[in-house]
């Protein structure tokens, strides 16, 4: 549930900056108790509340062990938010553990999970091929989000974390060598976006700065983290059965909040 709670860490940090130090939220958070999100919700405009309110609810369902009620099953806002955040499968797991799922629903859930697992395995294989090709070309590379989160943190349920592309961080001077290595294993560049490569439905997104700062420079103000921080806090490890640089949680956790 690591990736699920990151937005809440960010919300808490924002509310901490805007609240007096005597409000008590920071000590509660640091002591391991669940923070009170009411102040955060009050500060947000109505469109944001439509997202955060159900998000806080499924966050509580995943973390507290509370029973999932019949009202939860019928709460379209809750499920829309869970699907948008990519935690719908985790909610299904929670429901399955508590026996709250009817047999018809359970069959549909299992079929959806099989499809998602098959897709996950194909993408994992493609990520491993890309890492192997880049390693052979002596291009240092960091896989960001996606598999770098699901494989070490979700364990047997890694397929429950969806992804729409494979984000790869590399130093700018290695970009051309990286593109050649990916071309050699069948990836082709997007017509418009020169750092996005396709092979079938597999999408590789090449970055030389986190958050796509090299494309939208205003995003540099969202975080002080830069590529040098990732490479200086990375260690050799394995990802998708290939050698890979794995980033320390000291950098990865703040990054995942944005």
């Amino acid at each position: 549930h690591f990736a699920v709670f990151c937005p809440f860490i960010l919300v808490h940090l924002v509310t901490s900056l805007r609240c007096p130090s005597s409000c008590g939220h920071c000590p509660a958070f640091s002591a391991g108790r669940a923070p009170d999100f009411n102040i955060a919700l009050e500060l947000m405009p109505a469109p944001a509340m439509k997202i955060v309110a159900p998000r806080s609810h499924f966050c509580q369902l995943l973390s507290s062990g509370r029973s999932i009620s019949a009202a939860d099953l019928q709460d379209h806002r809750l499920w829309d938010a869970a699907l948008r955040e990519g935690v719908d499968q985790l909610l299904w797991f929670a429901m399955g553990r508590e026996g709250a799922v009817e047999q018809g629903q359970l069959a549909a859930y299992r079929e959806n999970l099989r499809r998602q697992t098959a897709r996950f395995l194909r993408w994992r294989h493609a990520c491993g091929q890309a890492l192997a090709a880049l390693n052979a070309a002596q291009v240092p590379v960091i896989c960001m989000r996606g598999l770098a989160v699901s494989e070490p943190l979700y364990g047997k349920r890694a397929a429950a974390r969806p992804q729409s592309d494979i984000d790869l961080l590399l130093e700018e001077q290695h970009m051309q060598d990286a593109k050649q290595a990916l071309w050699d294993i069948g990836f082709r560049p997007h017509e418009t976006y020169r750092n996005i490569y396709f092979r079938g439905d597999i999408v590789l997104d090449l970055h030389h700065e986190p958050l796509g700062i090299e494309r939208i420079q205003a995003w540099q103000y969202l975080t002080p983290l830069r590529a040098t921080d990732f490479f200086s806090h990375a260690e050799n490890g394995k990802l998708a059965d290939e050698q890979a640089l794995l980033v320390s949680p000291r950098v990865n956790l703040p990054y995942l909040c944005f």
Side-chain angles (χ1 to χ4, degrees):
H1 303 151
F2 170 82
V4 177
F5 285 94
C6 286
F8 289 91
I9 297 171
L10 180 59
V11 167
H12 179 74
L13 291 174
V14 171
T15 56
S16 297
L17 289 173
R18 298 191 61 175
C19 295
S21 58
S22 60
C23 72
H25 295 293
C26 294
F29 189 82
S30 61
R33 300 195 300 274
D36 182 353
F37 293 103
N38 290 333
I39 293 178
L41 295 178
E42 289 170 5
L43 291 171
M44 292 182 180
M49 286 187 64
K50 290 181 180 179
I51 297 174
V52 174
R55 179 191 283 171
S56 65
H57 184 47
F58 69 61
C59 194
Q60 291 165 4
L61 289 174
L62 289 169
S63 63
S64 65
R66 285 175 43 199
S67 296
I68 295 177
S69 66
D72 293 329
L73 290 173
Q74 303 300 320
D75 188 345
H76 295 296
R77 289 179 62 205
L78 172 69
W79 287 98
D80 286 347
L83 182 63
R84 197 163 46 239
E85 296 292 332
V87 297
D88 54 311
Q89 290 292 328
L90 292 176
L91 273 185
W92 274 113
F93 277 121
M95 292 168 64
R97 283 200 304 271
E98 300 187 23
V101 186
E102 296 177 358
Q103 286 303 309
Q105 291 176 308
L106 189 60
Y109 147 70
R110 285 174 173 163
E111 178 59 27
N112 185 41
L113 182 60
R114 289 189 190 103
R115 288 196 300 268
Q116 190 163 320
T117 300
R119 183 181 185 275
F120 168 79
L121 291 173
R122 288 193 302 103
W123 280 61
R124 181 182 185 275
H125 177 66
C127 183
Q129 286 185 311
L131 290 173
L134 294 169
N135 289 336
Q138 298 184 340
V139 174
V141 62
I142 292 173
C143 184
M144 307 175 73
R145 296 190 293 255
L147 196 66
V149 172
S150 62
E151 188 159 277
L153 298 175
Y154 284 61
K156 294 180 180 179
R157 292 178 178 169
R161 187 192 189 283
Q163 64 181 112
S164 58
D165 61 4
I166 299 171
D167 290 295
L168 299 176
L169 180 68
L170 50 131
E171 295 168 306
E172 190 170 9
Q173 65 266 29
H174 296 302
M175 188 66 76
Q176 287 306 120
D177 290 337
K179 290 179 177 181
Q180 183 61 56
L182 296 174
W183 179 281
D184 291 343
I185 59 171
F187 284 93
R188 297 295 179 262
H190 189 276
E191 293 179 353
T192 306
Y193 302 103
R194 58 190 176 87
N195 288 344
I196 295 180
Y197 275 65
F198 287 86
R199 191 180 69 189
D201 66 331
I202 308 294
V203 184
L204 298 181
D205 196 353
L206 309 182
H207 300 273
H208 57 80
E209 285 294 351
L211 295 182
I213 291 171
E214 68 273 13
R215 299 173 195 170
I216 303 178
Q217 294 187 3
W219 288 354
Q220 65 184 302
Y221 301 109
L222 293 175
T223 173
L225 294 173
R226 297 295 180 265
T228 52
D229 298 309
F230 286 82
F231 283 101
S232 62
H233 289 86
E235 296 182 353
N236 289 320
K238 280 210 162 185
L239 194 65
D241 299 324
E242 297 292 341
Q243 293 297 318
L245 290 172
L246 305 181
V247 180
S248 165
R250 179 180 178 182
V251 170
N252 214 22
L253 176 57
Y255 165 68
L256 290 170
C257 291
F258 294 93

